[in-house]
Every structure is written in structure tokens, then in C-alpha cells.
Amino acid sequence: MKYSDDKYEFYGPENENGFRRIRALRSFGDVKEGEVGGYLQSEDNLSQSGTCWVYNDAQVYGKAYVKEDAQVRDCAKVHGVNRCEISGEAVIGHAAHLEDTFVTDMAHIMGESHVIESNIEGRALLKENCNIMASHVTGQSVIGGYGAVVNSVLRGETIVTDNAMLNKCNCSDEVSVSGLSHVHFCNMEGRVQIDGRNQIHECDFYGDIQIEGENEFTSKQFKGECHYRDGINLTERHRQADDLTSGIDFDDRECQSLPSDVLF
């Protein structure tokens, strides 16, 4: 049933999935009256209020709902098996595919991103071919390349790119993980940079930490200022050589092992 204040109606034949396009009944936002939009399975997929809209060939179906000023564009697919909601000024575009995910604020999910059972907020940007599952991404975090994030929380300006993977990690501040690095069960706070072919398990990083090259770490704590390359502690080497330590106290900048009773 249509009401006088409805902003869209269904238009044209069903596609191969049984979804129909929508057509604007009035102008709002950047949508003009008569403009034909993307596909919905039912009116339960798109609010009749606000400036939210489904553009181009995008599809919203199942138990997915777009509301407020959110946009679903291009060839994106938003699907809800249990519940999926796009709100605020969020934008889902390109060939992104979302399932049972909540996206709000000014978050953007683009490229061929695949996001399942996650919460994406703030000004987070997901792009290219990234994969996100059961995670919370907020702040100004950026996930791109073929980066993968599973069961993790990303805040601040966290960056995950290339073929890096985070699994069951907590990241905040200016964390950057790239290359072919795989990081599992770790806490990272501060200016942490991990690049290369690293295998890291059950470690804590606090401070100005740089890990590059090929390294394997398990059950360690890094704090203060640490720089590792290919298994070598460059911070320790510089201290011993007295090259980079003038006027710097390293007493609280050691890289030390965690006691076994405080591990995950």
C-alpha cells in the first residue's frame, strides 16, 4: 500500500532473484523524482523516510534494512539472514557484499569487500578485496588489499593491507599491519608497524614498535621503543653500539617475555 508521503515505489519486472527495482516518487537528497534505483526484495529493505537510497544495480534483500541517509550503490549486495542494517551516512558501493552486518556513521565499504557478522562504524574505510568476519571496526581504520580481519576489534587509525591477517586481535591508536604478516591473539596499542612475512602469536605491543622482514614471535611483550628486522633486535644492537642511544633511557624500553600465567 502506498501512502502520500512515500518516497519510492516498486517499478518494472522482477529480476532473476525475484527482486524489483525502485522508482522515486519525489525528489530528496541527490535523487530526483522519477529516478529508477536498484533492487529490493521487499519494502522492508529500505526506509520510506530520510534520504537513504539504493542506486544503480545494487541489491538489498533478506532481513537487511537501509535507513536514515545511508546509500547502497553500484553492484553492492546487502543481505540479512538474521539482521543487517545500514544507517547514518554510511556508503556501500562497488561490488561489496555484506551479510548480517551493521554499518553506521560515515563508514564506507567499497571495492569487493566481503563483510560478515561485523560492526563497522565511525569513518572506517573497507576497500579493494578485504575480508572481515565477526569483527568491530571503528575510528578511521582502513582495511584494504587482500587484508583479512577475523574476530578482532580495530579502533583509532588502524591499517590492515596487502595480504595481512589479524585473528582475535585488539588494535588501537596507529597500528599498521601489512605484507604477508599473520597476527593472532595479540593486543596492539600505540604506533605499531608490522610489515613483511611475520608470524606473531599471543603477543602484546605497547608503544613505538616496528617489526619488519621475516620474524616469528610467540608469547612476548614489546613496550616502549623496539625495532626488529629479520629476527634481530636492532634497538638492542644500537644500544650496545651506543649509536642511537645518546640521552635516551632504555630502562623501560625492553622487549621482554610475558610470564606464562598471563597469556591468553
Side-chain angles (χ1 to χ4, degrees):
M1 178 182 296
K2 290 191 295 183
Y3 296 92
S4 60
D5 59 348
D6 283 356
K7 69 181 184 185
Y8 71 88
E9 65 180 358
F10 284 96
Y11 173 78
E14 295 181 348
N15 67 4
E16 65 276 12
N17 298 314
F19 310 153
R20 296 182 65 193
R21 285 191 181 275
I22 53 176
R23 180 170 60 183
L25 295 172
R26 53 183 171 84
S27 297
F28 55 91
D30 62 353
V31 178
K32 303 303 181 184
E33 181 179 350
E35 182 175 332
V36 176
Y39 294 91
L40 304 181
Q41 185 175 23
S42 76
E43 193 172 332
D44 293 333
N45 297 132
L46 177 66
S47 173
Q48 289 282 7
S49 61
T51 63
C52 55
W53 190 243
V54 178
Y55 298 76
N56 313 115
D57 294 315
Q59 301 182 52
V60 181
Y61 55 101
K63 295 181 179 179
Y65 187 54
V66 181
K67 65 179 186 178
E68 296 172 355
D69 301 313
Q71 300 180 1
V72 182
R73 314 183 67 98
D74 307 316
C75 297
K77 295 182 179 180
V78 178
H79 177 212
V81 175
N82 295 307
R83 182 66 174 171
C84 186
E85 187 172 284
I86 315 300
S87 63
E89 298 180 37
V91 178
I92 315 300
H94 298 158
H97 187 183
L98 278 63
E99 181 177 314
D100 288 348
T101 289
F102 288 77
V103 186
T104 190
D105 299 329
M106 299 182 71
H108 280 54
I109 302 180
M110 312 300 286
E112 297 184 20
S113 303
H114 195 185
V115 187
I116 301 175
E117 296 179 352
S118 296
N119 287 274
I120 314 299
E121 304 171 354
R123 293 179 176 268
L125 172 61
L126 279 55
K127 60 181 183 175
E128 298 166 342
N129 297 87
C130 68
N131 285 274
I132 315 297
M133 179 179 290
S135 295
H136 185 182
V137 182
T138 187
Q140 298 186 59
S141 298
V142 177
I143 306 173
Y146 288 86
V149 177
V150 181
N151 291 315
S152 297
V153 177
L154 278 57
R155 304 184 182 90
E157 298 179 18
T158 299
I159 298 174
V160 181
T161 189
D162 299 332
N163 288 276
M165 181 178 74
L166 297 182
N167 176 36
K168 295 187 177 179
C169 293
N170 287 292
C171 304
S172 60
D173 300 326
E174 298 180 45
V175 174
S176 175
V177 184
S178 57
L180 293 169
S181 299
H182 287 191
V183 183
H184 306 266
F185 297 95
C186 291
N187 295 307
M188 292 177 275
E189 297 180 10
R191 191 170 182 270
V192 180
Q193 299 179 59
I194 300 175
D195 183 35
R197 303 175 66 95
N198 299 286
Q199 294 290 331
I200 302 175
H201 300 261
E202 299 182 343
C203 292
D204 289 343
F205 299 85
Y206 303 106
D208 190 349
I209 315 295
Q210 186 174 356
I211 309 292
E212 57 183 340
E214 294 190 31
N215 302 275
E216 292 188 13
F217 297 117
T218 301
S219 302
K220 292 182 70 68
Q221 184 182 77
F222 303 82
K223 64 179 182 178
E225 180 180 326
C226 294
H227 184 184
Y228 272 86
R229 180 188 297 152
D230 296 326
I232 299 173
N233 184 346
L234 299 181
T235 305
E236 183 69 19
R237 171 179 286 185
H238 292 155
R239 182 176 66 174
Q240 293 174 349
D242 198 29
D243 290 335
L244 301 178
T245 61
S246 177
I248 299 177
D249 181 6
F250 281 86
D251 289 345
D252 63 346
R253 298 185 174 189
E254 297 291 344
C255 298
Q256 54 190 339
S257 298
L258 276 171
S260 59
D261 62 345
V262 300
L263 297 181
F264 296 87

